[in-house]
Amino acid sequence: STSLSPKRCVNRKDVVPDAITESIVTVKDNNQVEINITDNSPWTLQRKEYLYYKFENPNLDKIYSGTLNKQYTDASVDASTKSYCYKVAFIDECGSTSAASPALCTIFLDQVAGGDLEWTNNSPFGNANISEFEIQSFNEQTNVPKRETTKNFNDISYTPDLDDFETEAKYRIKAASTNGKESFSNIYIIPINVKLFMPEAFTPNGDNINDDLSIIGSTKRISNFEIQIYNRWGNAVFTSTDPSKTWDGKFQDKNAPSDTYSFKIIAKLNDGKELTKSGKFLLLR
């Protein structure tokens, strides 16, 4: 016959269980960091608790412990300012602390001189490598992300096309790992510069071609607006506080004569900045 003694733990201060090697960090929409543990350590003893560390080489600072939760949100950081790195570990049922995992680093997206977007490529997946990056932009009306293009691991820059945006362009990076996991960068917002253009001439002659004088450009960031149009004697012949309103070439219900006119635009933007523009154009009949 066989008799087994109860299982007991002995002094294990020199025993270091195998590390967890693949987990994920990702940036949430509020720029906090979420850490998700994938416990792939081959160590057979049960886990007593998981340990979360912030890693700034060579410092390893414990930020959370005493839990069997495999997910933790670091609300103390702002991932829109830089990349943050973490490591995870566990304590087993006999009190041994495992080796720390490889570094898990958030992807930091920023804009550099010249206007290109650039991002970091330290892996957010531990030992699992990044297979590709997907550049995503957000629809201004629905806030739904869409894929702009993909890049390989070594290509970490992108030139954004801002022509389809009116107020702000929002971008983020989605990293895919070689084992099918995903991690997101911070969201980077590019304010769209307000550009207003006044035609050099218009022809209000009733032929339905260029009959009205209209302002061309993006106007959604404008909170207050005024345009004034003057004849050669400095008399105001048209004013408006609506950037979409056009001038039909009439003054006091009569056709204004063919001549050179001047204009002045004052626009206040939703960020408090002020835009002024002035110049001249031709009215031709």
Side-chain angles (χ1 to χ4, degrees):
S1 63
T2 301
S3 177
L4 297 176
S5 68
K7 182 169 62 176
R8 297 190 182 279
C9 297
V10 296
N11 186 345
R12 299 166 58 85
K13 65 180 180 179
D14 296 325
V15 176
V16 181
D18 300 317
I20 297 168
T21 59
E22 293 182 11
S23 294
I24 303 172
V25 292
T26 189
V27 179
K28 302 170 71 174
D29 289 347
N30 59 3
N31 287 322
Q32 296 177 354
V33 177
E34 183 178 275
I35 308 163
N36 291 279
I37 292 177
T38 301
D39 190 345
N40 66 339
S41 171
W43 196 250
T44 57
L45 293 184
Q46 292 184 1
R47 305 336 184 204
K48 180 180 177 182
E49 62 182 284
Y50 287 107
L51 309 174
Y52 294 82
Y53 302 95
K54 190 177 294 179
F55 175 62
E56 294 188 53
N57 196 21
N59 298 321
L60 192 64
D61 298 321
K62 185 167 65 175
I63 57 174
Y64 189 55
S65 62
T67 180
L68 280 173
N69 291 334
K70 293 183 179 180
Q71 184 181 91
Y72 172 69
T73 297
D74 186 359
S76 69
V77 300
D78 180 356
S80 68
T81 60
K82 68 173 188 176
S83 175
Y84 288 90
C85 294
Y86 299 84
K87 293 188 176 187
V88 296
F90 63 84
I91 298 175
D92 70 18
E93 60 184 327
C94 289
S96 294
T97 302
S98 74
S101 71
L104 313 161
C105 298
T106 62
I107 300 165
F108 173 57
L109 175 63
D110 200 7
Q111 190 175 29
V112 297
D116 283 357
L117 295 173
E118 288 190 359
W119 56 92
T120 57
N121 63 352
N122 293 328
S123 178
F125 308 113
N127 275 355
N129 293 322
I130 297 171
S131 62
E132 70 174 17
F133 293 110
E134 179 179 291
I135 295 88
Q136 297 182 336
S137 66
F138 289 78
N139 183 285
E140 282 188 281
Q141 283 71 46
T142 64
N143 204 38
V144 174
K146 71 170 184 177
R147 183 180 71 177
E148 294 285 343
T149 188
T150 57
K151 302 276 188 176
N152 63 40
F153 170 76
N154 293 315
D155 194 350
I156 56 171
S157 66
Y158 173 71
T159 303
D161 182 359
L162 305 179
D163 289 344
D164 292 334
F165 298 95
E166 294 192 5
T167 304
E168 60 183 20
K170 293 171 60 175
Y171 289 92
R172 73 177 177 187
I173 305 299
K174 182 177 79 173
S177 71
T178 52
N179 60 1
K181 305 296 184 180
E182 295 180 350
S183 175
F184 293 96
S185 75
N186 58 296
I187 293 174
Y188 190 83
I189 298 176
I190 304 173
I192 302 302
N193 292 328
V194 175
K195 296 179 180 179
L196 301 176
F197 302 95
M198 181 72 82
E200 295 180 352
F202 81 116
T203 57
N205 54 14
D207 63 357
N208 295 322
I209 300 174
N210 201 27
D211 276 341
D212 294 295
L213 183 72
S214 59
I215 298 169
I216 303 170
S218 57
T219 60
K220 287 192 175 181
R221 289 186 58 213
I222 294 176
S223 57
N224 288 287
F225 175 87
E226 184 178 12
I227 182 173
Q228 298 174 341
I229 295 176
Y230 303 93
N231 61 21
R232 65 169 56 245
W233 297 281
N235 298 319
V237 296
F238 177 78
T239 61
S240 177
T241 58
D242 181 357
S244 66
K245 189 172 183 179
T246 61
W247 184 40
D248 60 4
K250 293 183 180 292
F251 174 55
Q252 295 179 346
D253 295 326
K254 296 180 180 180
N255 289 336
S258 297
D259 205 344
T260 298
Y261 292 79
S262 60
F263 70 90
K264 183 177 182 180
I265 294 172
I266 302 174
K268 192 169 185 178
L269 309 185
N270 54 13
D271 60 2
K273 294 181 180 179
E274 191 170 90
L275 174 68
T276 61
K277 190 177 182 67
S278 60
K280 296 182 179 182
F281 62 90
L282 290 174
L283 186 158
L284 302 173
R285 293 194 184 276

